[in-house]
Amino acid sequence: MAAYPVDPRSPDATYLGFWRERHLCTLTTLRPDGTPHVVPVGVTYDPAAGLARVIASKSSAKVRNVLAAGPDGGLAAVCQVDGRRWATLEGRATVSTGPARVAEAERRYAERYGRTPSSNPSRVVIEIKLASAMGRG
């Protein structure tokens, strides 16, 4: 089956269902020198808001990469794979430190992954404003 484009704000039920399953994902950000930095993460997908969210410590390389891109954020992608099924969300990432935004990201993480994230006073949320999506199911 070929890959297909998806409207990230209006995914079909199969695509959305895949993002609601518990899967480890990857986040790709760009280092200041333009090379990709890929790390395993937990991701939540909110098509109504047009966002993918990743909770992180503010001192992490992924957060530093996004911040180094400047106030408009940097390009980023999240991807998950399960056998032959895969899904990717792409857009511009920014970092939010607002307590309400971090709490919402933690809530969504707990819902998707079935566990509350450990306490981390330096937690931030990387929010990816989605521009495109694709997958194969």
Side-chain angles (χ1 to χ4, degrees):
M1 174 188 273
Y4 61 94
V6 175
D7 178 348
R9 287 188 152 283
S10 184
D12 64 39
T14 300
Y15 192 82
L16 183 57
F18 185 44
W19 277 103
R20 290 192 171 145
E21 295 173 12
R22 187 182 191 282
H23 293 288
L24 187 60
C25 304
T26 59
L27 167 68
T28 303
T29 57
L30 299 178
R31 295 181 184 99
D33 69 2
T35 60
H37 175 254
V38 183
V39 293
V41 293
V43 175
T44 62
Y45 173 32
D46 181 357
L51 293 174
R53 295 177 179 93
V54 176
I55 57 175
S57 180
K58 67 182 171 185
S59 63
S60 67
K62 57 187 162 281
V63 169
R64 289 193 312 270
N65 290 340
V66 173
L67 292 173
D72 293 332
L75 296 177
V78 290
C79 183
Q80 66 181 20
V81 177
D82 181 35
R84 295 181 56 116
R85 297 184 307 155
W86 61 270
T88 300
L89 301 167
E90 300 173 328
R92 189 158 295 275
T94 56
V95 176
S96 180
T97 59
R101 294 179 92 97
V102 172
E104 177 65 8
E106 291 171 331
R107 183 191 70 76
R108 288 175 177 275
Y109 179 96
E111 184 178 278
R112 181 173 191 204
Y113 290 98
R115 68 174 194 83
T116 301
S118 59
S119 178
N120 180 351
S122 67
R123 179 165 290 132
V124 298
V125 58
I126 297 172
E127 295 177 324
I128 303 169
K129 184 176 180 183
L130 300 173
S132 61
M134 63 186 123
R136 186 171 104 171

